[in-house]
Amino acid sequence: MLDLTKISGQMQGFSQHLTSEVAASRQRLELAQQHLQKAVECQEELIARQEKWRDRILFANATPIEPLETCITIPVPPKVHTVIATDGSQIAPNHHEIAYCYLLNIGRVVLHYGQNRHPLLDSLPEVFYRPEDLYVSRQWGIRTEEWMSHRRTASETTVLAELACSAKTEAPALAMVDGSLIYWFLEQLPMDARDRILPPILEAWQQMRAAQIPIMGYLSASRNIEAMNFLRLLACPHPVPDCVSYCPNQLEYVPCKIFDSLRDTTLWTTQLLPGQRGPLWRSNNRILELYEDQTIYFCYVHVGTEIARIEIPAWVAQNTIMLDQALGLMLAQVQKGYGYPVAIAEAHNQAVVRGGDKARFFALLEQQMIKAGIKNVGISYKEARKRGSIA
């Protein structure tokens, strides 16, 4: 149990810390606004410096594709449309349970508006228990739980493509996922492991591209700083932004890091009105070199309740009509969901594995093991003790 009386004494110091952080954040924001105004005047020059020295810059940064002062009102979407979303959940493998296995559950949602058609709300569960499923990742030094999460990401996308391509609708459609389309975790994976995850995702995107159904990643409360880091090129005191030569140790203080901890969304809160989007950006993350012609673009949108980061593949970003329509459908979803896209929220609700579901899953598994003639089926003594106190 948590003893709140012992924590209360620490709260005063915490509140003082927050007060000082708020003041420091306000100063960083004012500084960022000043640099943004300067960057507007020399945007092309900054982009040229960024491109020339890109291999020598050691921090993640993005390239603005439109003028930095861009503030575009998102058009109203058509009343007749379809929105598709997937999300995933899992039961992780546990040596203390009756059997060592894991389960992925992919929530599926297809919502038809103005078409007099029933929605689809269900989930696709899959159990993994074979040694090649449980232990394949160990050859790369990847824990089974971590590998399971990567497999889930790929499954969410392939199921999304299957739904989108089989929706059989002539109305405008949008496919949505919760979170980023830039899979940062791939950078840490060996090539063989990466080839099990990324190609199915890119193939699923190509299928949606052929069907002319845009895919969008929706990021709520984004902590990204790629756009803020573009402004660091302006704050660099050196003749050129050559981090390798001038600031090789990025863990120490670097003079251009004057907006430290200030997020992109914080700056764009001061630039956008509800229903507006900022400029399009192209992410320069190195992992995107593997995406071929489906590199990721993003923009920030004031959805009314927050500044959301919206990520899309290049083929969506480069089609103005498709992009505007997709953003309109996204904004309508946020309004229907009272601040968060209703399709993604429902996909999560379909996917989540609650305590009762988990208990029934293991009960079903136990029945199958007994039918197979396996004796002494049960959880470990440690797990039994954790589930109830005798004190």
Side-chain angles (χ1 to χ4, degrees), residues 6 15 22 77 89 223 290 379 391:
K6 294 177 181 176
S15 62
V22 168
S89 185
R223 302 178 64 183
L290 301 176
I379 60 176

Side-chain angles (χ1 to χ4, degrees), residues 98 362-377:
I98 60 175
F362 281 112
L364 181 61
L365 183 60
E366 183 178 13
Q367 292 174 10
Q368 294 300 315
M369 294 173 71
I370 292 172
K371 283 183 181 180
I374 301 175
K375 298 180 180 180
N376 300 321
V377 177

